[in-house]
Amino acid sequence: MNQRLQSRPAPAQAVKSASSTPAEIRKLAEDLMDVMSALLGITERETELVRAGKVREAMQLEAQKSELSRRYMVAVENVKAAQKLLAQAAPDLLNTLRRHHDTFRAMLQVNLTVLATAHAVSEGIVRGVNSEIQRRNVPNTYTAAGRRAAPGPRHITPLAVSRSL
């Protein structure tokens, strides 16, 4: 899949001169919409996989997502540079581009929420396992006043997690 991303043409260079044709200006907007659609497809797939608990498969999308993100940033810069020309040559296309971008941002927010939730859940699991290990390793002793004694540093066992499993 990575080869397919690399074989795609790079986004058009920014149109900066007033002599640019409407076709060149439209091409910039179309490039941005294409990149947003591709990036949206990857993030939707990632969201589905994370929701299904298939984090390992979701992590395999990282290279594609990074490449598309890079292309997205280039395309956004190109459109920003030609925004005045785009507004003059194709105001309807500019409005369509803005609506598409609003949808894109909303879907990215869903993706970020799912990833944050998965992160919080996994962190909670690791903390729970760690506290259970620590509870089992600490001796149950009491002070002269009848209160539970705080464990010393020699009783705390570090937790090691292997990410390769």
Side-chain angles (χ1 to χ4, degrees):
M1 280 191 182
N2 218 7
Q3 293 172 347
R4 190 175 79 213
L5 285 175
Q6 292 173 352
S7 65
R8 289 183 186 164
Q13 294 301 314
V15 177
K16 295 180 182 175
S17 68
S19 64
S20 300
T21 65
E24 290 173 328
I25 295 170
R26 283 184 176 276
K27 177 78 172 117
L28 288 176
E30 289 170 1
D31 285 345
L32 180 56
M33 283 195 279
D34 289 345
V35 170
M36 280 193 294
S37 294
L39 190 53
L40 192 57
I42 290 291
T43 55
E44 286 175 344
R45 178 73 179 133
E46 179 184 52
T47 301
E48 291 169 8
L49 290 170
V50 171
R51 281 183 174 161
K54 299 178 180 179
V55 178
R56 199 176 289 242
E57 290 178 37
M59 288 173 54
Q60 292 174 353
L61 300 173
E62 184 180 348
Q64 287 177 294
K65 192 174 175 184
S66 294
E67 174 60 22
L68 286 169
S69 296
R70 184 195 63 76
R71 288 181 49 209
Y72 168 76
M73 294 305 296
V74 170
V76 165
E77 289 301 316
N78 290 344
V79 168
K80 277 184 183 178
Q83 186 173 358
K84 289 181 184 178
L85 296 172
L86 185 60
Q88 293 169 354
D92 57 329
L93 183 59
L94 187 58
N95 289 332
T96 301
L97 189 60
R98 285 186 176 134
R99 282 192 309 273
H100 192 68
H101 199 263
D102 289 341
T103 303
F104 176 71
R105 281 191 299 193
M107 293 304 290
L108 285 182
Q109 188 61 46
V110 169
N111 178 262
L112 289 174
T113 303
V114 168
L115 293 178
T117 301
H119 183 268
V121 167
S122 63
E123 183 176 337
I125 290 169
V126 170
R127 286 183 187 273
V129 167
N130 183 44
S131 63
E132 184 63 25
I133 289 172
Q134 299 310 323
R135 187 182 64 78
R136 288 183 181 178
N137 288 335
V138 174
N140 282 330
T141 58
Y142 296 90
T143 63
R147 295 192 180 149
R148 194 159 193 215
R154 69 186 176 113
H155 296 291
I156 296 175
T157 306
L159 175 67
V161 178
S162 174
R163 294 181 180 213
S164 64
L165 295 176

